[in-house]
Amino acid sequence: MNLYYEEAGAFKVGRVLQEQGNAYQVETLHGKRTKVKSNSVMLKFDTLECAEFHTQVEALAKEVDTEFLWECSPEGEFDFTAMAKEYFGENPTVVQQAATLAALHSAPVHFHRKGKGMYRAAPPEILQAALAGLEKKRLAAEQQQAWADALVRRELPDGFAKQAATLLVRPDKNSAEYKALMLACTEAGRSPDVLLIECGAFKTVHEMMRARFAAIYFPKGPEIDLPAPEVPADLAELPVANVRAFSIDDISTTEIDDAFSVVWLDEKSARIGVHIAAPALLIPRGSPYDRVARERLSTVYAPGDKITMLPDQVVELATLAEGRTVASVSIYVEVSTETGELISEPYSAIEQVPMAANLRHNHLDAALSKEVLEDPELNELEVVGEFFPALKMLWKSSCVLRMEREIVRGQPEKHTRIDFNFYVSDDGTVEIQPRRRDAPLDLLVAEWMIYVNREWGGMLDECKVTGIYRVQPPMGRVRMSTHAGPHVGLGVPQYAWSTSPLRRYVDLVNQQQLISLLRQEAPVYTATDAELLSAVNSFDVTYKAYAEFQQSMERYWCLRWIQQKGRKHFDGVVVKDELVRLDDIPLFVRLVGVTSPGRGVQVEVELDQVDELTLTVSCKLIALKKGTPTRLLDDDEEEDEEENIELPEAPVAVIEAGESEGLNAADDSSAADSSSEGSAA
């Protein structure tokens, strides 16, 4: 006896070897022995061999007209044997019965199963909806295959260009586009990013990297479609400071948010003013511009590129551009012209500041050495013009400020490491220029920014107005806090970022709080404000992600520079295991096939096989340089440098073609404690 039975949702044929109560010992077509319960048996037959029965059933089931079967099916539930009589005639053979069962079972859209061998025809309206769904799936599958075929031919289907970056970083894995891309990658033997580049979704690796980053952090696009804000009428009523202010920035900087002034009071004293752009006067809390800044949290910098935190219209109104009189928040302090020591308590004001000049590092760094600034006989310098005496005064006082901090820190700061500026032209040519951390103008700006952040943070704390602070306890890491605390790395009692409100949301919030304090108004934020706490919690994560993007873009442009220059041989120093930092550009490479020569050893390496897509380059050791091992970094930088060697928390190089935060933003300063804050960039 043979059985036609159901197992695991499919119908099978088997020869009975033994009957055991309500079960059968069966041998399948493939010779496997299995146990089949009697309630799984659909038909019993002896007329045919199992193989022949199986072949005939499969062939006949394919010939059954499903539509006709549905049309002639009775209302309500029915048994498959009854349906076989209806379709094949009064006395259907066992093959015809089995074929009917197989046809019913393989058409779940037309027939709904209701039990063992029992079915019910789908109602017409449900059937039509199901068939429409199947047709839709069929067409989608055809479209998916057509897209995949086009991608394999290196043709970009319509619509793929707009969502190419999204397909790489945050795809909808159920979408036909994603499935088509994965199918094409399998057929073409390419990774998704390579295939999309080969198909023209991105013109260059650089474009792809930028698009991927924007898809994650700027899903609505990096452009900001907002009109220029209305300038409050009371801004024109602000007093105009009796100063000739000047800024010190890189040549391409457009977000100029800090400037200086020096007014000579008498032979022994002068008043130094530090003036900070005041976008908080233009964009109140909750305004569209404030919401954009809250979402972005910081300007994003990369070589030759940037995505601003604030809309261009706001930046244009607030930036401290030469020849304009701009609303600012200023802090003034008197200093001794002889010693540079501060001889008065600082005071702050909201005012309009006339901007006499925007000085540029590119024009001045070479001319303004420490020796020049400290030469008592030199009172004029053509390249600086009228601002040379002011720069000398700022330099002298900044040295005093730095010395005071170093006493608190317990050790002097070192500024021996070199930063790098990237300049990317429209044709993709890149120039990388070294810039020492100990350039006097860098140190001058950094020191005064630290002073401002210290003093304004102290004002907020003293007046019980909530601020956002950078806090570093002894033996601890730097963290954000809404409570004032010492920053031991910088050697200050408190430190509240306030000097880059055009570029960082933390600074903008602190400026809003400071303005409310100076105007004797209620604070914009309280200590328990949910939005404030959310900004504090998300800032570090976002800021780090932006820095990592900058790092990857800098690595990309370093590799492009190597290719453009046609250089293969470089000097460098081993920083950890087989990892080497090159001297001429801010690039880390890994030695291949050799044991590490030892930390701090100077080496000559050969670079080859640059891969822009993976940001990798092969590196071969050529020779060990003569001489003693080189100390890699300042003592207080080494630990963090080791931890973040591949993607440092803060950028190794000064940022985009001139638009560098660099030491100009000063921020956690002058490289003042790179072990905690990373490079000043």
Side-chain angles (χ1 to χ4, degrees):
M1 182 173 63
N2 302 318
L3 303 179
Y4 189 59
Y5 62 94
E6 182 180 10
E7 182 180 85
F11 295 111
K12 300 181 180 181
V13 181
R15 181 171 65 88
V16 176
L17 300 177
Q18 183 180 2
E19 184 175 357
Q20 301 172 339
N22 62 347
Y24 299 91
Q25 183 76 14
V26 173
E27 183 182 49
T28 68
L29 287 175
H30 305 292
K32 178 183 176 181
R33 295 191 177 191
T34 185
K35 183 178 181 180
V36 177
K37 293 183 178 180
S38 58
N39 59 3
S40 297
V41 176
M42 312 305 294
L43 292 169
K44 300 177 182 179
F45 62 94
D46 292 314
T47 56
L48 295 170
E49 293 295 327
C50 289
E52 185 179 357
F53 177 85
H54 177 72
T55 300
Q56 291 184 18
V57 169
E58 278 196 338
L60 185 58
K62 292 178 181 178
E63 297 176 1
V64 173
D65 186 337
T66 303
E67 290 292 337
F68 179 70
L69 197 65
W70 179 80
E71 290 176 359
C72 65
S73 61
E75 294 185 4
E77 298 179 7
F78 57 85
D79 181 77
F80 75 95
T81 56
M83 193 71 245
K85 292 180 182 180
E86 192 72 28
Y87 188 84
F88 289 104
E90 184 64 27
N91 296 304
T93 66
V94 66
V95 171
Q96 290 173 333
Q97 293 179 52
T100 302
L101 176 59
L104 291 170
H105 190 73
S106 63
V109 171
H110 291 76
F111 303 99
H112 301 163
R113 189 173 184 181
K114 295 298 180 180
K116 178 184 176 182
M118 300 296 294
Y119 293 87
R120 182 171 186 167
E125 63 278 7
I126 294 178
L127 177 62
Q128 292 305 313
L131 291 174
L134 289 176
E135 179 65 11
K136 184 177 180 180
K137 288 183 179 180
R138 185 187 68 79
L139 294 175
E142 289 182 358
Q143 179 66 82
Q144 177 181 313
Q145 187 61 54
W147 284 339
D149 293 341
L151 290 168
V152 171
R153 296 192 303 268
R154 304 308 189 267
E155 299 171 2
L156 191 67
D158 292 341
F160 268 65
K162 290 184 178 180
Q163 56 180 317
T166 303
L167 287 171
L168 292 178
V169 296
R170 46 172 56 178
D172 175 3
K173 294 187 177 181
N174 292 319
S175 68
E177 290 85 353
Y178 178 78
K179 293 177 180 177
L181 177 60
M182 293 299 102
L183 180 60
C185 287
T186 301
E187 294 182 15
R190 292 286 194 275
S191 61
D193 47 5
V194 171
L195 184 59
L196 287 174
I197 288 178
E198 291 178 349
C199 292
F202 308 102
K203 295 179 181 178
T204 63
V205 173
H206 173 266
E207 181 182 321
M208 182 196 69
M209 293 172 66
R210 191 181 192 277
R212 289 170 60 168
F213 173 77
I216 297 174
Y217 294 99
F218 303 92
K220 299 177 183 178
E223 295 76 20
I224 304 174
D225 186 18
L226 287 173
E230 294 184 6
V231 179
D234 59 356
L235 286 192
E237 301 174 3
L238 292 174
V240 178
N242 186 23
V243 299
R244 285 179 58 78
F246 58 92
S247 64
I248 307 172
D249 294 280
D250 192 87
I251 194 168
S252 301
T253 301
T254 56
E255 295 169 285
I256 302 174
D257 44 23
D258 57 80
F260 300 92
S261 66
V262 178
V263 175
W264 310 100
L265 302 178
D266 51 47
E267 292 184 358
K268 294 186 177 181
S269 64
R271 182 177 66 242
I272 290 178
V274 183
H275 313 283
I276 306 300
L281 294 172
L282 300 171
I283 50 176
R285 176 183 178 179
S287 67
Y289 315 96
D290 182 65
R291 289 197 295 271
V292 167
R294 169 65 183 85
E295 290 174 1
R296 299 191 168 198
L297 292 171
S298 172
T299 290
V300 182
Y301 293 97
D305 189 18
K306 71 175 176 181
I307 302 173
T308 59
M309 178 184 76
L310 292 171
D312 291 341
Q313 301 93 325
V314 176
V315 174
E316 290 171 5
L317 288 172
T319 186
L320 302 180
E322 180 178 319
R324 297 179 55 199
T325 299
V326 191
S328 306
V329 183
S330 304
I331 186 169
Y332 294 95
V333 64
E334 293 181 16
V335 299
S336 167
T337 56
E338 296 179 356
T339 65
E341 295 179 349
L342 279 58
I343 57 176
S344 74
E345 291 297 317
Y347 67 93
S348 301
I350 305 171
E351 58 189 6
Q352 299 183 75
V353 175
M355 288 299 302
N358 294 140
L359 305 183
R360 303 298 183 176
H361 284 283
N362 309 63
H363 301 150
L364 303 180
D365 279 353
L368 289 173
S369 64
K370 177 181 178 182
E371 291 72 24
V372 168
L373 289 171
E374 294 180 355
D375 187 343
E377 304 298 325
L378 188 60
N379 296 313
E380 294 182 4
L381 194 65
E382 184 178 353
V383 69
V384 187
E386 66 175 287
F387 303 105
F388 183 58
L391 288 171
K392 291 185 70 174
M393 188 70 258
L394 286 166
W395 169 251
K396 182 182 291 186
S397 56
S398 69
C399 291
V400 173
L401 291 173
R402 184 170 71 251
M403 187 179 301
E404 292 175 351
R405 289 194 305 104
E406 288 176 347
I407 292 173
V408 177
R409 292 180 80 240
Q411 60 179 335
E413 291 179 348
K414 303 179 183 69
H415 310 283
T416 56
R417 210 171 82 184
I418 296 175
D419 286 328
F420 293 84
N421 282 350
F422 288 75
Y423 298 93
V424 181
S425 62
D426 293 339
D427 63 1
T429 303
V430 59
E431 290 296 333
I432 304 175
Q433 298 180 0
R435 178 173 164 188
R436 292 187 62 86
R437 282 184 172 183
D438 58 0
L441 288 185
D442 282 336
L443 299 180
L444 178 160
V445 174
E447 206 59 57
W448 276 104
M449 294 306 110
I450 294 172
Y451 173 79
V452 173
N453 290 330
R454 181 191 79 186
E455 291 301 318
W456 279 347
M459 280 181 59
L460 294 176
D461 183 48
E462 183 180 351
C463 297
K464 308 302 181 184
V465 175
T466 301
I468 303 177
Y469 298 87
R470 301 283 285 176
V471 176
Q472 184 187 15
M475 305 302 291
R477 303 288 293 178
V478 178
R479 59 182 175 82
M480 306 291 288
S481 174
T482 55
H483 301 283
H487 192 307
V488 297
L490 294 178
V492 293
Q494 67 279 319
Y495 188 75
W497 269 344
S498 308
T499 55
S500 295
L502 292 175
R503 301 184 263 194
R504 265 192 319 241
Y505 190 68
V506 169
D507 301 59
L508 181 62
V509 168
N510 281 337
Q511 187 176 84
Q512 290 172 331
Q513 297 293 83
L514 181 65
I515 288 173
S516 67
L517 175 59
L518 294 176
R519 287 179 166 176
Q520 298 182 346
E521 298 173 348
V524 178
Y525 296 92
T526 63
T528 58
D529 193 294
E531 286 190 14
L532 178 72
L533 297 176
S534 175
V536 172
N537 291 334
S538 57
F539 180 82
D540 271 341
V541 174
T542 302
Y543 203 56
K544 181 178 180 181
Y546 291 177
E548 289 177 350
F549 169 67
Q550 179 187 326
Q551 282 287 310
S552 63
M553 295 305 290
E554 286 172 354
R555 186 171 179 86
Y556 167 82
W557 285 112
C558 283
L559 298 181
R560 291 279 293 172
W561 184 88
I562 291 172
Q563 293 175 305
Q564 290 171 9
K565 298 297 182 183
R567 282 188 59 180
K568 287 192 173 183
H569 291 259
F570 292 85
D571 290 339
V573 58
V574 179
V575 294
K576 182 181 181 183
D577 299 330
E578 292 81 31
L579 203 65
V580 174
R581 187 181 66 225
L582 303 186
D583 292 343
D584 295 342
I585 54 176
L587 183 67
F588 291 91
V589 292
R590 192 174 295 280
L591 295 173
V592 177
V594 297
T595 303
S596 173
R599 175 181 169 84
V601 174
Q602 294 176 313
V603 295
E604 181 184 354
V605 297
E606 180 181 358
L607 304 186
D608 196 10
Q609 299 179 354
V610 171
D611 189 332
E612 295 178 3
L613 185 62
T614 60
L615 299 181
T616 57
V617 57
S618 65
C619 175
K620 182 168 63 175
L621 178 65
I622 299 299
L624 302 180
K625 306 292 284 186
K626 293 182 179 180
T628 58
T630 301
R631 183 175 58 80
L632 301 178
L633 303 169
D634 299 339
D635 294 337
D636 54 359
E637 296 172 338
E638 291 185 3
E639 180 182 350
D640 227 46
E641 187 71 15
E642 288 186 19
E643 292 176 0
N644 302 302
I645 206 71
E646 296 294 351
L647 280 175
E649 276 192 20
V652 168
V654 178
I655 25 207
E656 74 125 309
E659 190 70 62
S660 69
E661 279 258 296
L663 293 171
N664 278 348
D667 305 3
D668 287 20
S669 113
S670 77
D673 184 43
S674 285
S675 66
S676 55
E677 296 295 8
S679 112

